[in-house]
Amino acid sequence: MQDLKLLVLEGDGIGPEITRSTIDVISAVAPVMERRPTFEAMDIGFSALAKCGSTIPQDAVIAAKRADGVVLGPVSHNDYPPAEQGGLNPSGTLRKELELYANIRPAFTWDGLEAPAQCPFDLVVVRENLEGFYADRNMFQGGGEFLPEPGVALALRKITRKGSLRIARSGFELAQKLGKKNVTVIHKANVMRLSDGLFLECVREVAADYPQIELEELIVDAAAAHLVRNPARFDILITTNMFGDILSDLASELAGGLGLAGSLNVGDRFAVAQAQHGSAPDIAGLDTANPVSLILSAEMLLRHLKEDRAADAIADGVKEVLKHPATRTRDLGGQLGTQAFTQNLIAVIERGLK
Ligand code: IPM
Ligand code: MG
């Protein structure tokens, strides 16, 4: 049997606890996998900074490129020292170095779990992951932000034809795979005529290759309003980096909370499972974190790696345990700590495998 090599980067805050849970869950579905999962762990974040002076050592990037997939814990990059002192955002660096141009973020309501949304829904945000306004991951010297004079800050926003075409393609391919009929492109081309104009033009171009799928165009502020009013009208949303960052959090929160939000960073060669939420240093080490966001991100990674049976087993198990308050973590009205939640989830998954 071949190995499926997974690199585990724990990260900061609650990272060690939720990556532990995630590894345990992947191990539990190993019996239905095509390949045998193996785990290599490396330090990133504060632990790496203390050991080797960088929050994302080059070794970790190399290991990520050698692995079949990466499980990335959340990072406290806001609290890192400046880049000159080794404080780089590991998730930005990995996205860039591994060319993970698509960030796939499903958001859907759950049976038995109350959610702020007005109605049940099931959508996926397909976010461009390398361009836009993100100073730490675009290609300009010194990042995309600068101070031309005291009291004035400028930020550059980069949109390319190549980046826009490939994220559009990812979105339409996903729509086709999931049998979804509607793709919505979200933009602000009424104000950012050149950059979002280019983005929109590229999405339209790709849409022409998928005549059976309908393309709707929506301005980002209206999209936010529609998401709150009637999220069920959306299937697949394709958008630029920052709009996707914001709207994916909105959609996930509407579905029941960021703690349940799976997220996969993916490119043509590599894929990194990364929870949608942050590192929650205030509850680190307390065994109260909800590990579901990272577990569902790993589920997406396994599906991407063609381990569908394992992915289905995880998805079914999570659905089952979230139905009942007694088997939820505290953020969702339950009583269970991280470890007890995980052990119960594993028991439910294992029962399902029989
Ligand atoms: C996310 C996060 C990241 C981002 C942070 C950690 C840099 O908000 O993955 O959504 O801005 O992309
Ligand atoms: Mg975010």
Side-chain angles (χ1 to χ4, degrees):
M1 198 187 211
Q2 242 185 309
D3 281 352
L4 185 78
K5 285 183 272 164
L6 299 175
L7 177 71
V8 180
L9 305 170
E10 283 187 346
D12 303 306
I14 56 172
E17 296 159 80
I18 65 172
T19 47
R20 181 74 258 156
S21 296
T22 303
I23 295 173
D24 290 348
V25 168
I26 297 173
S27 304
V29 293
V32 294
M33 286 174 65
E34 301 293 326
R35 288 155 289 177
R36 180 189 314 110
T38 64
F39 303 97
E40 180 191 5
M42 292 190 78
D43 284 308
I44 57 159
F46 279 118
S47 62
L49 186 68
K51 282 187 196 156
C52 58
S54 168
T55 51
I56 176 76
Q58 198 50 35
D59 284 359
V61 176
I62 293 169
K65 289 184 180 170
R66 288 208 189 109
D68 294 307
V70 180
V71 175
L72 171 63
V75 292
S76 302
H77 65 108
N78 269 340
D79 303 325
Y80 291 168
E84 311 80 72
Q85 293 165 36
L88 288 165
N89 178 356
S91 75
T93 304
L94 285 170
R95 288 175 193 182
K96 191 160 78 182
E97 295 261 348
L98 275 57
E99 228 184 315
L100 306 169
Y101 59 83
N103 184 203
I104 311 295
R105 295 186 156 175
F108 49 86
T109 43
W110 299 82
D111 278 353
L113 187 71
E114 245 178 70
Q118 312 251 19
C119 56
F121 69 95
D122 183 359
L123 59 80
V124 186
V125 176
V126 177
R127 162 188 178 190
E128 200 292 321
N129 213 20
L130 296 175
E131 304 190 330
F133 264 127
Y134 288 77
D136 60 342
R137 62 194 75 147
N138 65 32
M139 275 132 65
F140 297 106
Q141 200 69 36
E145 284 192 298
F146 52 96
L147 300 163
E149 58 183 78
V152 179
L154 292 181
L156 291 175
R157 179 167 183 261
K158 182 184 176 194
I159 302 288
T160 67
R161 196 174 146 74
K162 180 183 171 196
S164 305
L165 288 174
R166 65 185 179 183
I167 195 65
R169 182 80 49 200
S170 303
F172 277 92
E173 283 296 309
L174 184 66
Q176 202 163 53
K177 191 171 143 208
L178 300 177
K180 302 275 192 183
K181 291 277 169 281
N182 296 295
V183 166
T184 311
V185 57
I186 292 166
H187 65 91
K188 191 76 185 177
N190 53 334
V191 176
M192 286 177 281
R193 288 175 184 266
L194 290 183
S195 53
D196 269 6
L198 173 61
F199 186 74
L200 200 51
E201 190 183 295
C202 291
V203 178
R204 286 180 190 148
E205 214 174 296
V206 171
D209 292 341
Y210 301 82
Q212 73 290 6
I213 298 173
E214 196 191 328
L215 175 67
E216 187 188 356
E217 300 177 4
L218 209 52
I219 296 172
V220 62
D221 42 358
H226 282 295
L227 260 175
V228 172
R229 185 178 290 266
N230 180 19
R233 80 199 285 284
F234 296 103
D235 282 338
I236 306 283
L237 295 81
I238 301 178
T239 192
T240 51
N241 203 344
M242 187 172 281
F243 296 162
D245 189 9
I246 298 166
L247 293 179
S248 59
D249 276 21
L250 174 60
S252 299
E253 207 49 42
L254 284 170
L258 275 184
L260 303 175
S263 168
L264 188 69
N265 300 290
V266 55
D268 293 330
R269 295 176 58 202
F270 305 107
V272 175
Q274 179 187 11
Q276 198 170 312
H277 57 71
S279 60
D282 52 323
I283 57 162
L286 299 180
D287 190 46
T288 56
N290 180 352
V292 167
S293 176
L294 190 59
I295 291 171
L296 290 179
S297 304
E299 178 248 314
M300 294 175 72
L301 176 64
L302 292 179
R303 204 176 293 284
H304 175 76
L305 296 171
K306 306 211 164 13
E307 296 286 358
D308 286 61
R309 278 188 73 193
D312 287 343
I314 295 174
D316 292 348
V318 172
K319 271 192 197 123
E320 186 55 37
V321 300
L322 291 184
K323 271 187 199 158
H324 320 286
T327 49
R328 295 182 197 147
T329 45
R330 293 189 193 116
D331 53 312
L332 299 175
Q335 297 289 324
L336 300 182
T338 313
Q339 288 189 33
F341 173 83
T342 307
Q343 288 321 310
N344 180 59
L345 171 61
I346 288 172
V348 169
I349 290 174
E350 283 175 344
R351 238 179 284 139
L353 294 182
K354 284 191 189 126

